[in-house]
Amino acid sequence: MIESIEKLITLMIEGKVTAYKVFKETGISQHQLSQLKKGKIKIENLSIGTGIKLEEYYNEHVKDLSE
C-alpha cells in the first residue's frame, strides 16, 4: 500500500496528477493532499480509510502513468 501511495504523491509533485482531481474522486481534502506532497504528513500516519482510498485511486486511475 505504501509504495502505491508514494508513487501517487510523486506523480502529484511532478504535476502529472492534480490534488484537485484526487480530491474530487476520493473525497480526501486538498489540504491533506497538499500536506502529503510537502512531507508534513507521513504516509504511515494516515488513517486506514485514507490509505485505502489513495491506493484504490492509484490502481484505478494512474497506475499506468508511473510505469
Side-chain angles (χ1 to χ4, degrees):
M1 178 185 295
I2 290 176
E3 184 179 321
S4 60
I5 296 171
E6 287 174 341
K7 289 179 181 179
L8 176 58
I9 292 169
T10 299
L11 290 170
M12 288 193 298
I13 291 169
E14 293 173 349
K16 295 179 181 175
V17 176
T18 65
Y20 179 76
K21 185 166 178 135
V22 177
F23 154 70
K24 291 299 282 182
E25 294 286 334
T26 65
I28 298 168
S29 75
Q30 291 183 66
H31 176 74
Q32 188 172 23
L33 294 168
S34 175
Q35 296 297 307
L36 278 167
K37 282 173 50 177
K38 293 176 183 176
K40 293 185 177 184
I41 297 176
K42 293 183 179 183
I43 295 170
E44 295 84 7
N45 294 335
L46 293 173
S47 70
I48 293 172
T50 299
I52 290 170
K53 287 178 185 179
L54 289 172
E55 182 179 33
E56 287 175 349
Y57 180 82
Y58 174 81
N59 289 332
E60 293 173 13
H61 299 283
V62 297
K63 189 174 186 178
D64 294 335
L65 293 175
S66 68
E67 295 178 348

